[in-house]
Amino acid sequence: MANLFHETRSIALITSAGNTVLLAILLFIVRWFFVPIEAWIIIVICTLVFFSGYFFFKYAVDEFIYKKIKLIYKTIHSFRSVKGSETTSSGKSESLDSVNQAVIDWGARQKMEIDELKKLAAYRREFLGNISHELKTPIFNIQGYVLTLLDGGLEDVTINRNYLMRTEQSVNRMIAIVKDLEEISKLESGELKLNLQRVDLTELAREVVDFLEMKARKVNVVLSIENKTDGQVLVRADKERIRQVLINLIENAIKYADKEDNRIVVKFFDMDENYLIEIKDNGPGIAEENLTRIFERFYRTDKGRSRDKGGTGLGLAIVKHIIEAHDKTITVRSKVHQGTTFSFTLAKK
Ligand code: ADP
């Protein structure tokens, strides 16, 4: 586009030079064959024609392009104004220059927006596919149990209660999936605002450990807290969200515990401006190739095992979102058959 405006000068120059040459040839033919015109008169006429032609063509081309481009610029400008980014231009030459920049900026922005929309569309497609896949299993299970009960199972005392209990389990599974979906869509849409406050992490961890104690005891898991700092662990965080992080991580460690003596320890370390929180288990561990993917939505290392344990595949994705909303990151270290450690930091109060 910038070249186009510079080219108006070249176009005017070439056109008027061409015309002048043609005129000069014509005048020399006239001089030789018809009227003896003085050479200086021919030169003066040609010079006048050249300059007037140059300015005329330049003006005409400029005006033509300027008017057309101004229309395009106005359209782009109105799009940009709608989005709140105003630019002002005064004078013709400034407009012509800024049109070029405006078109480039506008094009780049449109491309970015289109790329973003394409990514979102792909994300939505994948997300919807995952949701329907996740919901299909409990729905089909419920359908199977209900049909069996309607087909006479209801009167059969050996199966009626059992099938109703299985139906309830599938309903609970659907509720868990829907709850996690609701949570993750709130986190991903940025709708959820953090309620930052002073939180005593040792106290919060104690509440979470007490809450999960029964569940842990049923599968031979011992829960403990180790405070490696000099005193209280006070952080600036959203208490309820961090409670959820601790529940998800400790529940996972309980869920996948596979030893005779299972141990889960919540540890706190002092890290200058932050506290480091670690949730360490001695469970089955996670293979290295899965470590980078476990925070993805619906990613499981073992689909069957996760579903049998009531997992939705969204727990770690929710945890990651919450920690990132606190401007921090979560990491994981693991060795197969030895255990897993999740660690994240939180800013000191
Ligand atoms: P799920 O609902 O399946 O537990 P999560 O997002 O919470 O989904 O976890 C993703 C996967 O990471 C799990 O399916 C499991 O394979 C693995 N995982 C998470 N925590 C642990 C852990 N403490 N020990 C072993 N594997 C784990």
Side-chain angles (χ1 to χ4, degrees), residues 255-256 258 284-286 301-311:
K255 218 160 53 179
Y256 299 112
D258 63 347
I286 301 163
T301 55
D302 180 339
K303 282 192 170 43
R305 191 180 57 162
S306 158
R307 289 207 181 101
D308 288 349
K309 307 265 181 187

Side-chain angles (χ1 to χ4, degrees), residues 228-265:
K228 305 277 188 190
T229 74
D230 293 337
Q232 270 183 312
V233 184
L234 295 177
V235 292
R236 187 173 152 72
D238 184 322
K239 189 174 179 183
E240 290 318 306
R241 299 284 144 219
I242 297 301
R243 184 194 301 278
Q244 193 175 0
V245 166
L246 293 175
I247 290 178
N248 285 9
L249 293 176
I250 299 172
E251 242 181 1
N252 269 353
I254 297 173
K255 218 160 53 179
Y256 299 112
D258 63 347
K259 304 231 161 52
E260 292 284 300
D261 66 323
N262 301 291
R263 278 168 284 113
I264 300 170
V265 191

